[in-house]
């Protein structure tokens, strides 16, 4: 919401010395998010005056039309003689009043004006457009043409209100009343302790039987509808400069008087209005839900197929507007440019001021992807009591500015509603804030908000109609606290009870994060939302369980409506973005929840807020939620080790992804078995299956390796990118949570190396398992340190795996014979299980 300070001063008598920055500080202290203060005309310097075009000479011989004009600027130029100016615009004629900037002036952006020769003529100044003066879009795309009655030589800076300060406020969803000058003025008056001149306090005639006929068929969607009629509007009437400038300052484009007035009242009072051309409305105006398949062409020229949940405004023909969102083209106000000589301009209008259900408007706007200034306000809550005043304000302006006649008929359809009352202990804000405000302060602050307050220790508070967000005692406590100043709240650190620290699961997650960071990975948290197309890009089978997703009813993006079942889509997206921005050597990791839908879909129970839910209620809520295991994943691309004076670098490969899985398993105290695997996005020949044993049963918990080239091409990832993902919760179940101190022996280690020849398809993990089992308890560790393939020396389809075996006894120094016997036993068992033969 853009708030011009000059307009704000009409409702609050701010001190003359108060600047926009001062007001910004006050409003921020009161809880509003004032993002910026724009200084309009800060670098503008005159002379900038009103001139009248006397003559126009068309200059020929140039690539574009050029005009040489003489303009009467009165005594502003010091001589009284006509000013000679070269101009390329075509939207003005002889006799028009225009804005002229004279030599010596400076326009916004530091553009200095001086007499200069151009197109064979000397131009003494410039005839200005709205963009050149920093006024914003006025819809003309040309020179500003002022009303004929404007005085020649008048200071245009003052006339056009070019110097001002505009506060830009980010209005949160619970402060819809601040989407109006009235709402911001109320907050300003409260912040300064000054009285408010409420623009909604008008003399409004009561409803009668002579107004335009209206029938509301859906009172739940529209609980208030006011209709007023103004006739005999002058087709030649234009919006005055002050009204146009105020609309421009708040970010709206002036169009025509009959359109500008409803927009102006909306920005002033916060009540969206709509004006219908009465001659184009046929019969009674109605409010109902749309019939399935009905169509409506809205003011933006788009034909829309309506949904049965859409609330629409109708006449005898059918829909003429989407209620609270946008009007229809079939009853659009025609301005003075319609037809020849303005003969088709609208002269009789019906003003609609209604109050629509916030949820209905929000869903309609989202359904049709049609956000408007009106829908923004209705979605956040509009004061239903302001409808009649807003309609009266629009009528008054149309009568005053367009010479119209207000018909005596007043239509007002109201569904009876009682004001909301809240009972709150007088000391409740004190308990919430931890500050002793006292009853008098609480009552005073609530009254400043607009509440009626009765009672002593127990206060009965009647909420004002413009604050639909105040629904319970905590809302009222928040109002007291924010008006007293958040900055006045003491900063007190909570004292946790002794003996309660992180859970084992939390400590494990932190250890894993630290271990991966220590291994050179960077944590990259991602949003948990994915598109279902990503599963095709990852090459998952049609029946893969990961394709079963939980879909959001109200997603942040229609392109990502589902919750993730894998961490890889987000991590691979981060990898692609970073690689595209020049970071090619990447190692990223993430730990986070994935979401697996339950076989039976349940509706979550609504928990009470006035008491602690029972264990049964909490269990019922948990049962309705999807299963949410925690996963860990890494992705790698580019160099794993950089080249330098110390030697050659090394690119990341599948072994690094496997090692990341081993790192995670070590932190969890679990034994991880690696097998050759094939799944989804991984290369079938460079994929390891990650297996654990829980309660005697093996379980695959993830995969690691190099990604398939087809997946890399589809997702736009670097060549030879690698990834790992595993189920961290499952790994935790297989792990031993008891801290294990490393065993330190006083006896020396005996090292034996073996090189075994096996068939190429035999996984190294199976060979290692056989050696470990065969060596017995004397084996301390085993490490694969070489893989060799040579058909001439080893034979066709063979490979050599070299292992370093470390033997140690706990009670003695091993002899060479003991170590060799253990090695031979290991080799023998490997020969039985996998056909391994000792090389050489």
């Amino acid at each position: 919401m853009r708030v011009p300070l000059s307009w704000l001063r009409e409702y609050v008598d701010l001190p003359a010395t108060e600047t926009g920055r001062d007001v910004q500080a006050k409003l921020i202290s009161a809880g509003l998010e004032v993002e910026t203060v724009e200084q309009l005309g800060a670098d503008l310097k005159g002379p900038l005056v009103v001139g009248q075009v006397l003559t126009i000479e068309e200059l020929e011989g140039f690539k574009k039309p050029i005009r040489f004009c003489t303009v009467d600027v009165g005594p502003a130029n010091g001589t009284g003689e006509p000013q000679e100016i070269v101009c390329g615009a075509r939207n003005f004629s002889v006799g028009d009043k225009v804005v002229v900037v004279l030599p010596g002036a400076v326009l916004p952006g530091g553009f200095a004006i001086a007499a200069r020769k151009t197109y064979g003529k000397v131009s003494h100044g410039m005839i200005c457009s709205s963009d050149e003066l920093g006024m914003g879009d006025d819809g003309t795309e040309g020179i500003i043409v002022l009303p004929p009655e404007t005085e020649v030589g008048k200071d245009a800076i003052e006339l056009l209100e070019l110097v001002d300060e505009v506060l830009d406020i980010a209005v949160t969803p619970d402060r819809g009343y601040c989407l109006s000058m009235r709402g911001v003025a109320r907050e300003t008056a409260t912040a300064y302790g000054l009285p408010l001149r409420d623009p909604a306090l008008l003399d409004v005639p009561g409803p009668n039987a002579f107004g335009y006929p209206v029938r509301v068929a859906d009172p739940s969607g529209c609980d208030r509808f006011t209709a007023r009629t103004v006739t005999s509007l002058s087709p030649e009437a234009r919006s005055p400069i002050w009204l146009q400038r105020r609309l421009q300052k708040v970010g709206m484009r002036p169009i025509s008087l009959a359109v500008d007035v409803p927009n102006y009242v909306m920005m002033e009072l916060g009540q969206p209005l709509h004006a219908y051309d009465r001659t184009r409305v046929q019969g009674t105006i109605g409010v109902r839900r749309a019939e399935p398949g009905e169509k409506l062409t809205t003011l933006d020229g788009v034909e829309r197929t309506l949904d049965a949940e859409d609330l629409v405004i109708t006449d005898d023909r059918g829909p003429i507007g989407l209620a609270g969102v946008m009007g229809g083209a079939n009853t659009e106000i025609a301005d003075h440019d319609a037809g020849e000589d303005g003969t088709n301009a609208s002269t009789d209008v019906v003003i609609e001021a209604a109050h629509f259900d916030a949820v209905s408007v929000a869903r309609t706007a989202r359904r049709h992807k049609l956000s408007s200034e009106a829908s923004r306000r209705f979605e956040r809550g509009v004061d239903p009591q302001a409808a009649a005043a807003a309609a009266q304000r629009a009528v008054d302006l149309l009568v005053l500015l367009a010479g119209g006649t207000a018909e005596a008929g007043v239509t007002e359809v109201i569904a009876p509603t009682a004001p909301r009352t809240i009972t709150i202990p007088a000391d409740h804000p004190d308990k919430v804030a931890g500050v002793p405000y006292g009853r008098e302060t609480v009552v005073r602050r609530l009254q400043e908000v607009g509440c009626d307050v009765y009672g002593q220790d127990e206060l009965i508070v009647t909420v004002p109609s413009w604050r639909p967000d105040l629904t319970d005692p905590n809302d009222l406590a928040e109002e007291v606290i924010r008006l007293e100043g958040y900055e006045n709240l003491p900063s007190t650190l909570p004292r946790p009870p002794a003996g309660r620290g992180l859970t084992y699961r939390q400590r494990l997650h932190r250890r894993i994060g630290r271990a991966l960071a220590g291994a050179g990975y960077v944590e990259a948290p991602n949003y948990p939302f994915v598109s279902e197309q990503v599963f095709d890009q990852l090459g998952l089978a049609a029946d893969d369980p990961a394709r079963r997703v939980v879909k959001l009813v109200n997603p942040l993006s229609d392109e990502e409506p589902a919750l993730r079942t894998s961490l890889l889509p987000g991590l691979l997206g981060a990898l692609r973005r970073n690689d595209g921005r020049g970071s090619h050597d990447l190692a990223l990791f993430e730990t986070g929840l994935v979401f697996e839908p339950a076989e039976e879909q349940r509706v979550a129970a609504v928990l009470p807020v006035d008491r602690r839910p029972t264990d049964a209620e909490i269990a019922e809520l948990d049962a309705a939620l999807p299963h949410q295991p925690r996963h860990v994943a890494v992705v790698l691309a580019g160099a794993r080790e950089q080249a330098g004076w110390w030697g050659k670098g090394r690119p990341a490969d599948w072994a690094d992804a496997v090692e990341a899985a081993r790192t995670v398993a070590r932190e969890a105290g679990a034994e991880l078995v690696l097998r050759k695997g094939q799944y989804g996005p991984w290369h079938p020949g460079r994929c390891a299956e990650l297996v654990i044993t829980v309660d005697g049963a093996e379980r695959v918990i993830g995969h690691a390796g190099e990604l398939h080239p087809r997946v890399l091409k589809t997702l736009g990832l670097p060549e030879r990118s690698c990834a790992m993902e595993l189920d961290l919760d499952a790994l935790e179940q297989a792990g031993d949570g008891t801290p294990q101190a490393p065993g330190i022996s006083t006896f020396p280690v005996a090292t034996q190396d073996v090189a075994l020849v096996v068939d190429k398809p035999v996984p190294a993990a199976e060979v290692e398992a056989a050696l470990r089992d065969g060596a017995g308890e004397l084996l301390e560790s085993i490490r694969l340190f070489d893989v060799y393939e040579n058909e001439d020396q080893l034979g066709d389809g063979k490979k050599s795996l070299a292992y370093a075996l470390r033997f140690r006894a706990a009670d003695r120094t091993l002899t060479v014979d003991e170590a060799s016997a253990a090695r031979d036993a290991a080799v023998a068992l490997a020969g039985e299980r996998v056909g391994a033969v000792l090389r050489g």
Side-chain angles (χ1 to χ4, degrees):
M1 175 69 189
R2 291 171 56 84
V3 179
L5 190 59
S6 59
W7 194 354
L8 186 64
R9 290 181 182 275
E10 283 199 5
Y11 312 122
V12 184
D13 289 327
L14 295 172
T17 57
E18 207 73 356
T19 67
R21 295 290 184 188
D22 298 330
V23 177
Q24 177 189 30
K26 284 284 190 179
L27 292 180
I28 289 176
S29 178
L32 294 184
E33 298 180 18
V34 186
E35 295 185 331
T36 60
V37 178
E38 184 179 352
Q39 306 289 335
L40 300 183
D43 52 355
L44 179 64
K45 176 185 175 183
L48 190 71
V49 298
V50 176
Q52 183 173 22
V53 180
L54 301 178
T55 64
I56 297 177
E57 177 188 349
E58 301 290 344
L59 301 182
E60 299 180 354
F62 301 101
K63 293 183 179 180
K64 62 179 182 179
I66 298 296
R67 312 168 96 184
F68 181 65
C69 311
T70 58
V71 184
D72 178 15
V73 295
N77 58 4
T79 64
E81 295 295 324
Q83 202 79 2
E84 296 179 342
I85 298 175
V86 176
C87 183
R90 314 289 298 175
N91 68 313
F92 64 95
S93 306
V94 172
D96 282 346
K97 303 288 182 65
V98 294
V99 178
V100 179
V101 57
L102 300 177
V106 179
L107 294 183
F111 181 50
I113 302 299
R116 65 189 183 94
K117 187 173 183 179
T118 179
Y119 297 102
K121 301 283 187 179
V122 177
S123 181
H124 299 272
M126 187 170 70
I127 302 176
C128 298
S129 68
S130 60
D131 284 341
E132 291 164 340
L133 298 179
M135 295 170 56
D137 185 13
D138 63 354
T140 63
E141 298 182 357
I143 294 303
I144 301 171
V145 178
L146 300 172
E149 64 273 13
T150 309
E151 179 185 352
V152 172
K154 184 177 180 62
D155 183 3
I157 295 178
E158 178 183 351
L159 175 69
L160 299 177
E161 302 175 14
L162 297 179
V163 179
D164 202 349
E165 294 181 274
V166 179
L167 286 70
D168 193 351
I169 302 176
V171 178
T172 52
D174 61 330
R175 304 240 179 247
Y177 66 96
C178 284
L179 288 172
S180 67
M181 293 300 304
R182 180 194 184 203
V184 176
R186 178 176 286 108
E187 290 292 330
T188 305
T190 301
Y192 279 90
L194 297 172
L196 168 70
R197 288 188 292 274
D198 191 345
L201 295 180
L202 302 174
D203 291 330
V204 180
N208 53 50
F210 312 111
Y212 198 94
V214 174
R215 186 174 66 88
V216 177
D218 189 344
S220 63
C222 175
D223 58 11
R224 184 179 295 263
F225 195 107
T226 300
R228 299 289 300 275
T229 304
V230 183
T231 60
S232 303
L233 299 179
S234 171
E236 300 301 321
R238 307 289 192 273
S239 297
I241 292 174
W242 63 266
L243 192 149
Q244 293 187 46
R245 288 297 294 134
R246 286 188 172 180
L247 288 178
Q248 288 175 327
K249 289 177 184 179
V250 298
M252 303 192 75
R253 180 170 65 88
I255 299 175
S256 66
L257 182 60
V259 176
D260 293 347
V261 164
N263 286 340
Y264 176 83
V265 174
M266 176 180 66
M267 302 308 297
E268 182 181 46
L269 302 182
Q271 168 66 53
L273 304 176
H274 189 71
Y276 301 94
D277 187 331
R278 194 173 75 165
T279 63
R280 304 176 72 180
V281 179
Q282 299 181 9
T284 300
I285 292 178
V287 183
R288 62 169 172 82
R289 299 288 172 177
E291 299 292 338
E294 278 189 310
K295 295 184 181 299
L296 170 68
T297 300
T298 46
L299 289 174
D300 57 357
V302 177
E303 184 180 62
R304 305 180 185 276
T305 300
L306 304 180
D307 186 270
E309 292 298 316
D310 291 336
L311 192 68
V312 293
I313 310 298
T314 65
D315 64 3
D316 291 348
R317 296 167 297 177
I320 60 174
L322 278 173
V325 180
M326 186 173 285
N330 52 355
T331 56
E332 181 180 7
I333 293 291
D335 62 21
H336 55 270
D337 293 326
E340 296 182 2
D341 301 325
T343 53
N344 293 334
S346 301
T347 58
D348 299 344
V349 298
V350 178
I351 302 294
E352 165 209 302
H355 184 260
F356 300 112
D357 177 61
V359 174
S360 176
V361 172
R363 289 178 176 172
T364 297
R366 185 173 183 84
R367 189 180 297 119
H368 293 281
K369 296 181 174 61
L370 184 62
S371 179
S372 64
E373 291 289 345
S375 67
R376 286 184 64 218
R377 285 160 176 78
F378 280 121
E379 289 171 12
R380 289 161 173 77
V382 169
D383 182 4
Q385 302 293 334
Q392 182 63 44
R393 177 68 165 145
V395 168
D396 292 343
L397 287 173
L398 288 174
V399 171
L400 175 66
L401 302 177
T405 301
E407 290 194 351
V410 177
T411 302
E412 197 163 4
V413 179
I414 300 176
T417 56
R420 182 187 299 112
T421 60
I422 302 172
T423 301
I424 174 176
D427 61 350
H428 183 64
D430 303 20
K431 294 179 179 178
V432 172
V435 176
Y437 292 124
R439 179 188 177 281
E440 291 185 2
T441 299
V442 171
V443 171
R444 175 171 57 84
R445 288 304 190 184
L446 292 178
Q447 289 174 340
E448 288 175 352
V449 170
C451 300
D452 291 330
V453 185
Y454 302 96
Q456 293 298 319
D457 295 337
E458 198 81 6
L459 302 180
I460 300 175
V461 181
T462 302
V463 176
S465 58
W466 58 84
R467 292 300 302 272
D469 59 300
L470 302 181
T471 59
D472 59 54
N474 287 329
D475 293 331
L476 299 179
E478 180 185 1
E479 292 300 300
V480 174
I481 295 169
R482 76 175 180 87
L483 292 180
E484 283 294 302
Y486 290 121
E487 68 276 9
N488 295 323
L489 293 178
S491 298
T492 305
L493 291 176
R495 294 183 178 180
R500 294 186 184 179
L502 298 176
T503 64
Y504 170 74
R505 189 183 189 194
Q506 291 170 328
R507 292 196 301 271
L508 173 62
H509 296 164
R510 293 194 179 190
R511 285 204 313 270
I512 289 173
R514 286 194 293 267
L516 290 175
Y521 291 86
V522 176
E523 188 171 12
N526 293 283
Y527 288 115
F529 313 117
V530 296
S531 66
E532 294 183 88
Q533 288 73 25
V534 75
F535 302 124
D536 296 328
Q537 297 170 340
L538 292 177
L540 300 188
D543 58 347
D544 194 298
R547 285 183 175 271
R548 294 186 63 247
V549 295
V550 178
K551 290 189 176 180
L552 300 173
V553 176
N554 188 27
L556 292 178
S557 169
D558 292 335
E559 296 180 356
E560 295 180 332
L563 292 174
R564 65 189 179 190
T565 56
S566 167
L567 301 182
L568 287 184
L571 271 180
L572 294 176
L575 182 72
R576 180 178 60 251
R577 284 191 300 274
N578 283 275
D579 180 71
R581 294 173 184 175
S583 298
H584 304 301
D585 303 326
L586 297 163
L588 308 178
F589 84 93
E590 179 179 9
T591 61
L593 301 180
V594 298
F595 305 85
E596 301 171 355
E599 294 294 335
E600 179 185 356
Q601 298 294 327
R602 300 184 183 182
V603 178
V606 179
L607 297 182
V609 296
D610 57 343
R611 59 174 174 81
R612 184 190 185 281
T614 64
D615 293 341
E617 289 172 331
I618 295 175
E620 183 182 0
L621 177 64
D622 289 339
L625 298 176
H627 181 50
Q628 301 175 48
R630 183 173 291 272
H631 282 202
V632 59
V634 305
V635 294
L636 304 102
R640 187 69 176 121
E641 296 176 2
Q642 296 291 335
W645 58 265
W646 51 84
K648 294 182 179 180
R650 181 179 66 82
D653 59 19
W654 62 269
D656 294 303
V658 171
E659 183 58 30
R662 288 195 174 110
T663 299
V664 173
R666 280 195 296 270
E667 293 299 327
E671 183 178 352
L672 193 65
V673 179
L674 305 178
R675 295 176 181 167
K676 181 179 179 180
Q678 181 174 349
Y679 177 70
W682 280 277
H683 192 298
R686 297 167 186 160
C687 173
E689 193 174 70
L690 310 178
V691 182
I692 59 171
T693 301
V694 179
D695 298 331
E698 289 189 344
R699 176 181 172 186
V700 177
I701 62 168
H703 296 82
E706 184 178 316
L707 295 175
H708 198 288
R710 182 176 58 250
V711 173
L712 299 179
K713 183 178 180 180
T714 302
L715 295 177
L717 298 173
E719 294 182 357
R720 309 302 292 268
S721 295
C722 303
M724 179 278 293
E725 181 173 12
L726 59 80
D727 186 336
L728 195 52
D729 285 355
L731 190 69
E732 181 185 347
Q733 293 176 8
D736 183 1
T738 304
Q740 298 291 331
I744 300 176
S745 174
T746 59
F747 298 99
V749 66
T751 302
Q752 297 271 359
D753 293 344
V754 296
L756 302 177
V757 178
V758 296
D759 294 334
K760 284 186 178 180
V762 175
E766 293 186 13
V767 179
E768 180 180 322
L771 291 173
R772 189 182 298 277
D773 292 344
E777 46 185 47
L778 292 180
L779 181 67
E780 183 179 78
S781 67
I782 181 172
R783 178 175 63 88
L784 175 67
F785 67 86
D786 184 53
V787 178
Y788 178 70
E789 296 180 6
N790 187 311
E791 293 184 2
D792 294 336
Q793 296 184 17
L794 302 178
D796 187 24
K798 298 292 184 178
K799 65 181 177 182
S800 171
L801 303 177
Y803 292 89
L805 309 180
R806 290 168 57 91
F807 299 98
R808 197 192 314 255
D811 56 350
R812 68 188 186 279
T813 298
L814 293 178
T815 65
V816 173
D817 292 339
E818 288 177 315
S820 298
R823 181 202 62 187
D824 294 342
V827 172
L829 187 58
E832 292 177 11
R833 287 188 182 178
V834 298
V837 177
L838 194 64
R839 181 179 170 189

